[in-house]
Amino acid sequence: MFLYYTYPQYLHSDSASYILLAEDILRSGTWLPQSWHYVSGSISIVDVGQIALPFVKWLGITPLALACAATVGASILVAAMYYLGRTLGLDKAASACAALLVISGPSMLYLDLVLGYMMSAVLAQNVLFLAMVCKVVDGKFSRRYIIVAAMLLALLFASNPKKAFAFTLLPSACAAIACWLSARIAGEQVVKEMVRRRDWLLRAIVAAVVVGTAFHVIAADFLSINTSYARHQLISNSAQFIINARTLWRLALEFLGITNLATNPNGIVHSLGTIYRVALIVTVAAAFVFVSARAFRLRQRSRMFLVSYVFFGTGLITGALLVGEPIKEHYGIYYLVFTLIPVAIILILAMGELPKKYKSIAVTTIISPVLLLSTGSLVLSSLTSAQPIYSGPGINQKTTNADKENLIRWLGENGIHHGYAPFWDANAITVLSKGRVRVIAARLLYGDGISPIRWLVSDEKITGVQAETPVFMALHNNTFSDTAIAQCFGTRPSYLVRPYRVVIFHDGVTDCLSAPPAVALPG
């Protein structure tokens, strides 16, 4: 319901780009198209762009193809979480429950990142890596587990070495060292086996890192990879630390569904949801402390590793955010998703230790509401309110999908099928029109015309739109003055298609194109 009805109402260019990448893969016949502009230092190797291939081939550039691809990605994440649960000793029902918790909430921001942004495939790779390490930490030194872990680690490093190091390797290494030290202090026999297998383990890890990083470096020579969002610059003063702390706290509240950016929250429903989520956070925190203490006391090594991974990973990433460059709105919190995903397993582990008579109460008061609260309340609000409770990256959009569909109808009536629009609108318009209108993200520059944004787009599409006539430029109305529009476009006709101001280029757009750098108009 969420992916097929609610989320398409908030479709934005980042999520829509996966479908366009799949189209480019099919067009070029290559797994990694050279014409595609990858972003944030990441290469989509085994990701939702590849998962979407059969759906784009069968359904075309449509929201339905996007929803189907996202469903498969979410299913892979659920399967990975289920496997991790079974690895940690949970029964089938408990493992399934923990897996479903991961795709249930707790907020639209979370659902947008995990399902809409389709981080699910990469998250699944990380979860499977943790499962393999848990087996090794438990003393199962089978080469099969070590080789699979190495292959997953190599894949993560090949996609993005920085993220693989920060989200996977570093916290896992810290957690493994903590488990090893604890076992050594306790004088456990497994320490001798770990020492005996140390060289083999280290070789596998080093080989995975080297191979993955080498692939990424080589690929970067013939692929276009924007690294602007992957840079990390330390702050220069304590004032920025305070600003970062406040921003991170606010984003954390939004991420947990305790606050939202909508102007008309759904009254008592939102208030009750907020109270429940606060209680849930307290419960999860208590569960983490309980499982951690029990795991270390009873020498449950795989559980010791998992809670240590959550502790070190969350702590290291939070520290990096606090002392780094200003935290980006809506995006800063997503880095924590990788290390917080196992919290669902930890919550179920804690419930498993409850006396039998309390387990049904816990399921009724904790698990069932979690599975229903976020998605159910969001779907309900979308059916009953003009502006549902929402807090996610798509909030950057200044228009709704109804506005985009109105623009698509107007363009169709006037025989216009190619053009430019602000970033958050462009790819979404292409997908919502089912490919009938091809739109390139662009900025409007003072005195210099239109500058295409090379971000999650193919060079072929950029040059293809440039060659078409007529071409449009959709601007957010009231964002630009008539003087600014006249300065950029001269006497070319413009029309008000609320909430857009649409400028038409009957003779082509080539003479109005500008290459960066230049001063961009807002929007």
Side-chain angles (χ1 to χ4, degrees):
M1 185 69 171
F2 169 74
L3 285 172
Y4 291 85
Y5 178 78
T6 306
Y7 189 71
Q9 298 180 56
Y10 303 101
L11 183 67
H12 50 76
S13 282
D14 272 0
S15 53
S17 67
Y18 285 101
I19 296 299
L20 301 180
L21 172 58
E23 181 192 39
D24 211 47
I25 293 173
L26 292 171
R27 178 198 58 77
S28 65
T30 58
W31 197 256
L32 301 174
Q34 288 184 260
S35 63
W36 186 261
H37 288 272
Y38 298 91
V39 300
S40 300
S42 296
I43 304 173
S44 179
I45 300 176
V46 181
D47 211 333
V48 180
Q50 284 74 23
I51 293 173
L53 289 173
F55 302 109
V56 171
K57 188 174 181 63
W58 298 332
L59 302 172
I61 306 301
T62 62
L64 179 59
L66 180 68
C68 290
T71 300
V72 174
S75 300
I76 294 172
L77 177 58
V78 167
M81 284 296 295
Y82 177 85
Y83 183 74
L84 177 60
R86 295 291 286 159
T87 300
L88 291 166
L90 292 175
D91 60 29
K92 293 180 180 179
S95 297
C97 192
L100 290 174
L101 285 176
V102 171
I103 59 168
S104 299
S107 67
M108 183 66 169
L109 175 54
Y110 176 90
L111 293 171
D112 191 0
L113 292 172
V114 174
L115 302 181
Y117 260 56
M118 288 176 278
M119 294 168 59
S120 51
V122 176
L123 287 171
Q125 295 165 27
N126 190 64
V127 168
L128 286 174
F129 172 80
L130 295 178
M132 295 300 108
V133 176
C134 283
K135 287 183 176 293
V136 174
V137 169
D138 258 344
K140 300 173 183 177
F141 292 100
S142 168
R143 291 194 176 188
R144 177 180 59 184
Y145 299 135
I146 296 173
I147 290 172
V148 172
M151 291 174 62
L152 290 166
L153 189 62
L155 181 59
L156 290 166
F157 268 85
S159 175
N160 190 317
K162 288 184 178 179
K163 289 181 179 178
F165 177 78
F167 302 153
T168 305
L169 182 59
L170 182 58
S172 295
C174 291
I177 291 171
C179 292
W180 180 78
L181 289 174
S182 176
R184 185 175 181 180
I185 293 171
E188 295 183 26
Q189 183 65 29
V190 73
V191 174
K192 294 181 180 179
E193 184 67 14
M194 292 176 72
V195 171
R196 191 171 70 84
R197 302 274 184 152
R198 179 182 57 194
D199 292 342
W200 166 242
L201 292 170
L202 289 176
R203 286 194 193 104
I205 294 171
V206 171
V209 173
V210 170
V211 170
T213 303
F215 178 92
H216 185 90
V217 171
I218 294 171
D221 285 339
F222 63 88
L223 297 178
S224 175
I225 307 174
N226 187 302
T227 60
S228 59
Y229 267 54
R231 295 169 187 160
H232 188 77
Q233 184 175 351
L234 294 177
I235 59 177
S236 57
N237 55 69
S238 58
Q240 186 59 57
F241 178 88
I242 296 173
I243 294 173
N244 280 353
R246 290 174 177 172
T247 303
L248 188 60
W249 175 251
R250 177 168 50 80
L251 289 176
L253 294 179
E254 293 174 7
F255 180 78
L256 294 168
I258 295 174
T259 60
N260 65 84
L261 299 180
T263 57
N264 60 334
N266 208 2
I268 190 168
V269 173
H270 175 65
S271 299
L272 292 175
T274 297
I275 294 171
Y276 176 78
R277 288 184 178 100
V278 171
L280 179 64
I281 294 165
V282 175
T283 302
V284 170
F288 180 83
V289 173
F290 173 76
V291 172
S292 300
R294 185 175 177 82
F296 277 87
R297 181 168 58 85
L298 299 179
R299 319 306 308 158
Q300 299 168 322
R301 288 188 297 274
S302 58
R303 299 184 183 189
M304 289 163 55
F305 170 80
L306 191 68
V307 295
S308 298
Y309 170 83
V310 173
F311 176 80
F312 285 111
T314 304
L316 290 169
I317 294 171
T318 301
L321 289 171
L322 291 173
V323 301
E325 60 186 3
I327 298 174
K328 298 175 178 67
E329 289 293 325
H330 313 301
Y331 294 94
I333 198 70
Y334 106 91
Y335 298 112
L336 292 170
V337 173
F338 284 84
T339 56
L340 287 176
I341 281 287
V343 165
I345 295 282
I346 293 171
L347 178 61
I348 301 300
L349 285 172
M351 288 181 55
E353 302 299 334
L354 291 174
K356 188 173 183 180
K357 63 180 180 180
Y358 295 126
K359 287 184 180 179
S360 59
I361 298 175
V363 170
T364 303
T365 59
I366 298 176
I367 302 304
S368 297
V370 170
L371 293 175
L372 298 174
L373 176 66
S374 295
T375 304
S377 64
L378 288 166
V379 171
L380 177 63
S381 63
S382 68
L383 293 172
T384 59
S385 172
Q387 191 172 14
I389 297 172
Y390 178 63
S391 173
I395 205 70
N396 287 320
Q397 297 181 107
K398 297 178 181 178
T399 59
T400 65
N401 280 4
D403 297 328
K404 298 179 183 66
E405 289 167 352
N406 183 46
L407 173 64
I408 291 166
R409 282 192 296 271
W410 186 89
L411 292 169
E413 291 168 358
N414 288 273
I416 303 170
H417 304 287
H418 300 85
Y420 300 87
F423 172 77
W424 287 99
D425 302 67
N427 289 347
I429 293 173
T430 300
V431 173
L432 288 171
S433 71
K434 300 180 180 179
R436 294 190 300 271
V437 180
R438 295 289 176 164
V439 187
I440 300 300
R443 295 185 181 91
L444 183 59
L445 308 175
Y446 279 113
D448 291 320
I450 300 170
S451 174
I453 301 173
R454 287 170 169 79
W455 184 278
L456 298 175
V457 69
S458 164
D459 276 331
E460 274 75 8
K461 291 186 175 62
I462 292 177
T463 56
V465 168
Q466 293 175 7
E468 294 291 335
T469 56
V471 176
F472 72 91
M473 175 69 192
L475 310 169
H476 294 142
N477 192 37
N478 300 324
T479 302
F480 310 98
S481 67
D482 292 338
T483 302
I485 293 175
Q487 184 182 10
C488 290
F489 303 122
T491 58
R492 289 181 173 86
S494 67
Y495 304 89
L496 182 61
V497 185
R498 292 189 182 277
Y500 295 100
R501 170 70 64 177
V502 184
V503 180
I504 306 299
F505 301 82
H506 290 288
D507 52 351
V509 74
T510 304
D511 61 329
C512 283
L513 291 176
S514 172
V519 179
L521 285 163

